[in-house]
Amino acid sequence: MKGIMLTRGKYVWIAEADDVAEPTFLETCVRFAEEHEDTSICFAGSLLIDADGNVSKRDINHWGRRKKKEAASFDGVRYAAHNLYWKNYLVNASGVLFSRRYAIELANSAFLNMRYCGDYLFWFEMSMRGKVIEVYKKLNYFRQHTAKVTNISRKQGEGVLEDIQIVRIMDDRLPNLKTYKKALRHGLLYRKIKRLPIELQQKNRLYRALSDTLQAGFVEYKVQRYNKYFRLLNPTLLTVKRDRLS
């Protein structure tokens, strides 16, 4: 945050040392950001690369039919409620251009106290302040390392504790969230804990945190699991994919 406070430009780009961007990245994102007065976030698609620069075939953008468009602009609050509530779609900070004006408003945000998922909360807070623009071009290369913080947090389960706190903040901040939608989101957290490669004692600690913070547990997990099957019978049933803005 100190670095952001020292910047003077209209936009900020965090150029991670081990990531790579296409020469057209800034030109493209600035062009789309400038089309709207209240742009808070503008981000492009990313490709995964290994330590040697080899590009992975794994799709981390999941655009679907969206990729037929050049870009799309969304109301930030709606984007937070329909996209970020479910997951962090801004997978790499190096692929994001964001408003300095809105970012400095977060000088005392809770994300500063997070070690693993602070970027997730930061993007949520930013989206609540202005428009979010998705650029459907892969202009960023996200380097992967086995010792990444995200990998360590997954093995230790500490990242899930921060995820739980972030969802609580979203539940409090987002208007008109339906009970069923919250149950699905909380159930996804339970499933995430269940699948972690950690000891049972550690899992139980996370289950207690989920219960204490969100009053959620096995019931919400069952709701999420039933949803997975009933969505095949009901094309209008709420799912993560169907809720995502396009």
Side-chain angles (χ1 to χ4, degrees), residues 41 74-87 89 120 123-130 132 170 173-175 177 181 185 243 245:
I41 299 170
F74 305 97
D75 171 80
V77 175
R78 293 192 71 238
Y79 192 88
H82 292 273
N83 290 34
L84 293 179
Y85 184 67
W86 298 108
K87 60 182 289 187
Y89 284 97
Y120 186 13
W123 301 133
F124 168 74
E125 295 282 9
M126 288 292 289
S127 70
M128 297 294 284
R129 285 165 164 76
V132 176
M170 291 181 174
R173 295 277 305 282
L174 290 171
L177 282 178
K181 183 170 181 173
R185 184 63 178 97
D243 198 39
L245 300 178

Side-chain angles (χ1 to χ4, degrees), residues 17-211:
D18 56 351
D19 292 339
V20 183
E22 291 286 350
T24 57
F25 170 77
L26 284 176
E27 174 189 351
T28 303
C29 288
V30 169
R31 174 165 62 88
F32 284 112
E34 285 291 280
E35 290 182 358
H36 306 277
E37 292 184 4
D38 59 342
T39 296
S40 181
I41 299 170
C42 180
F43 71 102
S46 292
L47 290 165
L48 297 178
I49 56 175
D50 62 20
D52 298 319
N54 299 307
V55 179
S56 169
K57 294 182 180 180
R58 178 185 167 196
D59 178 19
I60 60 173
N61 303 295
H62 306 294
W63 289 331
R65 290 176 292 179
R66 299 170 186 82
K67 63 185 178 183
K68 296 180 180 180
K69 299 184 289 185
E70 192 174 18
S73 172
F74 305 97
D75 171 80
V77 175
R78 293 192 71 238
Y79 192 88
H82 292 273
N83 290 34
L84 293 179
Y85 184 67
W86 298 108
K87 60 182 289 187
N88 182 10
Y89 284 97
L90 289 79
V91 295
N92 185 22
S94 291
V96 187
L97 188 77
F98 58 91
S99 165
R100 178 187 183 276
R101 175 166 64 96
Y102 291 136
I104 61 176
E105 294 177 1
L106 303 177
N108 297 311
S109 172
F111 86 88
L112 294 168
N113 299 318
M114 294 183 172
R115 180 179 179 185
Y116 302 108
C117 306
D119 59 332
Y120 186 13
L121 181 56
F122 178 74
W123 301 133
F124 168 74
E125 295 282 9
M126 288 292 289
S127 70
M128 297 294 284
R129 285 165 164 76
K131 280 189 167 54
V132 176
I133 299 172
E134 293 184 341
V135 178
Y136 303 118
K137 295 181 179 180
K138 298 172 184 177
L139 302 177
N140 173 262
Y141 298 86
F142 188 14
R143 198 176 303 276
Q144 303 295 289
H145 299 285
T146 55
K148 279 177 55 181
V149 170
T150 48
N151 291 332
I152 295 171
S153 69
R154 181 176 181 272
K155 292 177 181 178
Q156 297 177 345
E158 297 302 318
V160 178
L161 286 174
E162 293 185 359
D163 273 343
I164 292 170
Q165 292 299 324
I166 292 170
V167 172
R168 180 190 62 78
I169 292 171
M170 291 181 174
D171 284 352
D172 292 341
R173 295 277 305 282
L174 290 171
N176 306 317
L177 282 178
K178 301 296 185 182
T179 300
Y180 184 71
K181 183 170 181 173
K182 290 196 287 187
L184 282 180
R185 184 63 178 97
H186 300 171
L188 285 169
L189 285 170
Y190 189 100
R191 187 186 70 170
K192 191 172 186 178
I193 296 170
K194 186 178 176 67
R195 293 181 174 183
L196 283 174
I198 57 177
E199 298 293 331
L200 180 60
Q201 184 177 358
Q202 293 175 284
K203 287 188 178 183
N204 287 335
R205 179 172 67 96
L206 298 175
Y207 286 139
R208 286 194 297 271
L210 181 64
S211 177

Side-chain angles (χ1 to χ4, degrees), residues 62 65-66 78 81-83 86 89 180-181 184 226-246:
H62 306 294
R65 290 176 292 179
R66 299 170 186 82
R78 293 192 71 238
H82 292 273
N83 290 34
W86 298 108
Y89 284 97
Y180 184 71
K181 183 170 181 173
L184 282 180
Y226 286 134
N227 175 270
K228 180 179 180 180
Y229 298 105
F230 284 121
R231 66 183 171 84
L232 302 175
L233 303 175
N234 184 353
T236 64
L237 188 66
L238 176 70
T239 65
V240 176
K241 186 176 180 180
R242 292 169 185 169
D243 198 39
R244 185 179 180 183
L245 300 178
S246 61

